[in-house]
Amino acid sequence: MGSELVIFWFRNDLRLGDNLALVEACGAAGRVLPVYCHDPAAEASTRWGFARRGPHRRALLAAALADLDQTLRARESRLLQLRGVPGAVLPALARALGAERVVCEAIAAPEEEDEVAALRAAGLRVKTVWQSSLLDPAGLPFAVAHLPKVFTAFRQVVESAGVLPAAPLAAPEALPPCPPLASLDEALIAGCGDRSEPVVEAGAERFEEASFPWWQPAFAGGERAALAHVARYFAGDLPRHYKATRNGLSGVDFSSKLSPWLAQGALSPRVALAALRRHEAEQGASDGTYWLWFELLWRDYFRFLHLQHGRRLYRARGLNEEAPMPAHDPAAFAAWCEGRTGHAFIDGGMRELAATGWLSNRMRQVVASYLIYDLGCDWRAGAAWFEAQLVDYDVYSNQGNWLYIAGRGTDPRGGRRFDPDKQAATYDADGAYRARWAEPGRRAGD
Ligand code: FAD
């Protein structure tokens, strides 16, 4: 081990366990400085007119960073939080400390790739490590450029070839020491402490029926809460019933609720799968446990789609050259965001989302379809609203699901329209969901 100082840049991998990029950074360096960048762009307005990262996501992120700092400090390291565009603050930090190398996870989305390109343009050596999928893309029975066009074909090839993920890596017991930071320019590190919002307290009182109550310790951001949740979820028989309950709309137990931790990288999918396999060994495999694996494969599919198509997934037409350019109606879009379209089921969903940062998979499909097919709006505006609001916002899964519903992904069957009346009759037959979230005269948050 040399004396080289390496900057380890945490991105959507806010954990120490099963973090291949971190292992890579620690292996070669004499000193490692763990860093997180708060890019002001996350708080700036999008082209659609709202802040890019809303209060729920900010609070969950703050909890995850606080947790990460504590686990690093237990290993005599620490998390340095910087405020600024990574392409500017990381080179400035490197210059101040005499570092030349940055190691981080690879993210195959355009803006995240541009961030890495900016570091390289500033003269840094950057090593990126792919680690956010369950399966290693290099271990698939096809080159990622030949990813099957439909999910079912992908799953069948994976299953028939018996592709399995590697076992998760243990968290390092010790990290190479941090360099002294006393000489750092205060301006570089100012204002990056706990950035959670007062909504944490307000939410706790108002939305006790939230399906992901992120203000409660059991649902807090960060690796320790993630591992505790995984242990709790897989200890009981909820996984066995997952297939039957997964289309539920409300409650903490109808689906696994792994997604917020997977999205921030506090939980690695390989750790989640290992817990699922342990559960099967102890309590038996079932339709429910198979379906959890099935859904984790969907998550991978959208990641591999990004590796295959990259920026093309971000065009208005997506991958569908024949699709018309999306129409847009700003007033209808604003009504959708605020839950005042006049359709109680849709409004209930949109108010739940704005109030809690959570929406079930079923409601995500229904409201996305309504925006595109009933209100005639641009699917990219909807994706941006979800990005701002969802506590489990994940660039790959969000983009992939919106493209799929809009008929602009790889699926040759075209888009998916969900009839909102039929959906309400099937999934909210007693009207309890609409009564809870879209009661006349009651706005979420009242
Ligand atoms: P479970 O039902 O318990 O599933 C277990 C895990 O499988 C999930 O945690 C997730 O990692 C994965 N998974 C399940 N369904 C999907 C799916 N359709 N696509 C990809 N992975 C899936 N998921 C996100 O994590 N982040 C997003 O930003 C996101 N945006 C979405 C946007 C739209 C329009 C739609 C229709 C779906 C979106 N999803 C997104 C997928 C899905 O709704 C969530 O992953 C799921 O509801 C999370 O709840 P859970 O962890 O309880 O999932």
Side-chain angles (χ1 to χ4, degrees), residues 55-56 59 197-216 354-357 436-437 445:
H56 310 294
E197 304 274 311
V199 73
V200 178
E201 272 67 55
E205 285 160 32
R206 288 184 194 167
F207 304 115
E208 57 193 29
E209 292 169 46
S211 294
F212 193 91
W214 48 261
W215 46 87
Q216 293 178 10
T356 70
R436 170 68 188 93
W437 294 107

Side-chain angles (χ1 to χ4, degrees), residues 212 229 233 242 246-247 252 254-263 267 269 291-303 358-369 382-383 386-387 390-405 418:
F212 193 91
H229 178 79
Y233 181 73
Y242 169 75
R246 57 181 285 275
N247 278 311
V252 293
F254 69 83
S255 64
S256 72
K257 305 294 159 53
L258 297 175
S259 59
W261 290 293
L262 285 169
L267 175 65
W291 220 260
L292 280 160
W293 149 259
F294 178 104
E295 296 297 349
L296 287 170
L297 284 186
W298 261 115
R299 181 179 178 275
D300 268 15
Y301 185 68
F302 289 133
R303 282 168 156 68
W358 180 266
L359 208 53
S360 64
N361 183 57
R362 175 59 45 184
M363 286 308 295
R364 293 180 201 201
Q365 293 175 318
V366 175
V367 301
S369 154
F386 270 29
E387 172 176 355
L390 283 175
V391 282
D392 66 3
Y393 167 69
D394 171 86
V395 63
Y396 308 104
S397 293
N398 197 49
Q399 199 73 8
N401 276 287
W402 275 94
L403 280 164
Y404 183 75
I405 291 176
F418 292 74

Side-chain angles (χ1 to χ4, degrees), residues 185-246:
D185 180 357
E186 277 299 311
L188 196 64
I189 53 176
C192 297
D194 180 1
R195 299 179 54 72
S196 60
E197 304 274 311
V199 73
V200 178
E201 272 67 55
E205 285 160 32
R206 288 184 194 167
F207 304 115
E208 57 193 29
E209 292 169 46
S211 294
F212 193 91
W214 48 261
W215 46 87
Q216 293 178 10
F219 293 90
E223 185 173 19
R224 284 179 296 180
L227 296 178
H229 178 79
V230 165
R232 196 170 52 238
Y233 181 73
F234 288 106
D237 63 355
L238 291 172
R240 186 149 52 88
H241 302 295
Y242 169 75
K243 190 167 181 222
T245 61
R246 57 181 285 275

